[in-house]
Amino acid sequence: MEKEEWYLEYEIVVNRPGLLGDISSLLGMLSINIVTINGVETMRRGLLIKCEKQQQIERLESILNTIENIRVTKLRRPTLRDRLAVRHGRYIHREKDDKKTFRFVRAEIGILVDFMAELFKKNEHKLIGIRGMPRVGKTESIVAASVCANKRWVFVSSTLLKQTIRSQLLEDEYYNDHLYIIDGVVSSKRAPEKHWQLVREIMRMQAVKVVEHPDIFVRHSEYTLDDFDYIIELRNDHDEEITYDVVDQQLSTDSGFGFSAFDF
């Protein structure tokens, strides 16, 4: 029988010597293997474990609940957030009122790249938006995550090297295992109808699409934020406000592209 993974997390109530050894010994006696273990946040430990039968997990839970030095906080099939928590020693922040919005600061770009790479790995329709001010590292993070996920990326609209507005793709760029990157600001500024036809075509593909500045994108298209599977916010620090005042002024005055001046 193939072993299945579970995620165990417990809070340390009394941090006595030998506590981790006792937990490890208990897992061993129940024939449960430890895959990964790490501290998670403050006074918590997270473990990825493997076993053959769910009865082993039920027996483990009943025994752990009798140990006064710890309090079990999670015992479940591992989610992506669980795997990243064990890998990096902390949970990524998710909005309480909007479960699909995740927040990062520039100092956490390593975790962000790891998070996005996991999202990119499956060849399926997935629409991801990323918010952030200029020079915070949005495009660079997307490209780095693409490399980690072994994906080829295609810029549909961008200003990374020079302003790019694609109206068609090459034959070898139509693959579900490609990653398509759209800059919502560039696409919204005087992009020809052929470009939007291409955007709609890409949106129908069973592939991963990443839209920078999704708020601007939905204002000037038939798509809404409800169409997005994930929204990522990247800031220089936790208190930074993400605003589009400069962009709104450019769009309202219709004064040409000029995005390079604002590093979008």
Side-chain angles (χ1 to χ4, degrees):
M1 184 180 295
E2 186 178 351
K3 293 187 176 182
E4 296 182 343
E5 278 194 339
W6 293 77
Y7 177 68
L8 166 64
E9 182 183 291
Y10 62 85
E11 181 182 6
I12 301 173
V13 178
V14 179
N15 193 14
R16 61 170 178 78
L19 179 59
L20 179 58
D22 292 343
I23 301 297
S24 301
S25 298
L26 173 61
L27 293 170
M29 287 187 290
L30 293 173
S31 299
I32 299 175
N33 298 332
I34 298 176
V35 179
T36 311
I37 184 170
N38 198 2
V40 178
E41 303 296 348
T42 304
M43 297 298 289
R44 291 192 182 192
R45 286 199 181 103
L47 299 89
L48 282 178
I49 56 180
K50 271 189 175 183
C51 64
E52 294 180 349
K53 301 177 181 178
Q54 185 166 339
Q55 288 85 343
Q56 294 169 278
I57 296 299
E58 295 171 354
R59 194 174 302 126
L60 171 65
E61 184 176 23
S62 64
I63 296 174
L64 291 177
N65 287 333
T66 66
I67 302 177
E68 297 180 351
N69 297 137
I70 66 170
R71 182 174 67 86
V72 177
T73 53
K74 295 180 179 70
L75 184 55
R76 63 191 184 195
R77 306 285 185 178
T79 65
L80 175 55
R81 292 182 73 226
D82 294 335
R83 296 183 187 279
L84 292 176
V86 173
R87 198 176 301 169
H88 296 279
R90 60 176 296 274
Y91 269 101
I92 58 176
H93 178 77
R94 182 166 64 178
E95 291 293 324
K96 293 181 179 179
D97 299 330
D98 185 2
K99 297 298 184 182
K100 69 180 180 182
T101 300
F102 296 84
R103 300 181 62 179
F104 298 85
V105 294
R106 186 172 176 80
E108 300 170 333
I109 277 186
I111 306 176
L112 170 59
V113 169
D114 203 1
F115 175 62
M116 288 197 295
E118 292 295 329
L119 298 180
F120 294 170
K121 285 179 179 178
K122 291 186 178 180
N123 299 334
E124 61 184 15
H125 168 73
K126 195 172 291 176
L127 185 57
I128 302 168
I130 180 165
R131 299 178 176 129
M133 297 302 288
R135 293 185 177 179
V136 75
K138 300 183 297 298
T139 307
E140 294 83 348
S141 299
I142 296 169
V143 171
S146 303
V147 174
C148 293
N150 197 27
K151 290 270 188 175
R152 177 182 174 184
W153 63 91
V154 177
F155 286 109
V156 182
S157 57
S158 174
T159 58
L160 181 63
L161 299 177
K162 61 180 181 179
Q163 187 164 277
T164 300
I165 299 180
R166 303 282 300 272
S167 295
Q168 60 183 358
L169 298 181
L170 301 176
E171 185 177 351
D172 65 350
E173 291 178 322
Y174 282 99
Y175 286 99
N176 291 339
D177 62 349
H178 286 11
L179 176 80
Y180 298 92
I181 305 173
I182 301 169
D183 188 312
V185 173
V186 176
S187 291
S188 300
K189 187 66 174 180
R190 281 189 180 178
E193 178 58 26
K194 283 189 175 180
H195 170 76
W196 282 104
Q197 291 176 3
L198 176 62
V199 168
R200 296 184 190 103
E201 183 180 0
I202 290 172
M203 287 293 183
R204 291 192 294 268
M205 294 176 61
Q206 293 297 309
V208 180
K209 283 78 67 171
V210 182
V211 177
E212 297 185 48
H213 313 294
D215 304 280
I216 300 296
F217 179 77
V218 299
R219 278 194 229 164
H220 297 85
S221 70
E222 63 267 37
Y223 303 99
T224 70
L225 290 178
D226 291 335
D227 294 321
F228 285 80
D229 300 293
Y230 297 88
I231 297 290
I232 295 169
E233 296 181 352
L234 179 59
R235 294 173 168 80
N236 287 295
D237 56 70
H238 291 287
D239 298 324
E240 182 179 54
E241 182 182 0
I242 299 174
T243 64
Y244 295 101
D245 295 341
V246 174
V247 179
D248 287 337
Q249 184 178 0
Q250 286 283 312
L251 292 172
S252 62
T253 57
D254 197 30
S255 58
F257 286 103
F259 291 115
S260 59
F262 302 105
D263 293 306
F264 280 97

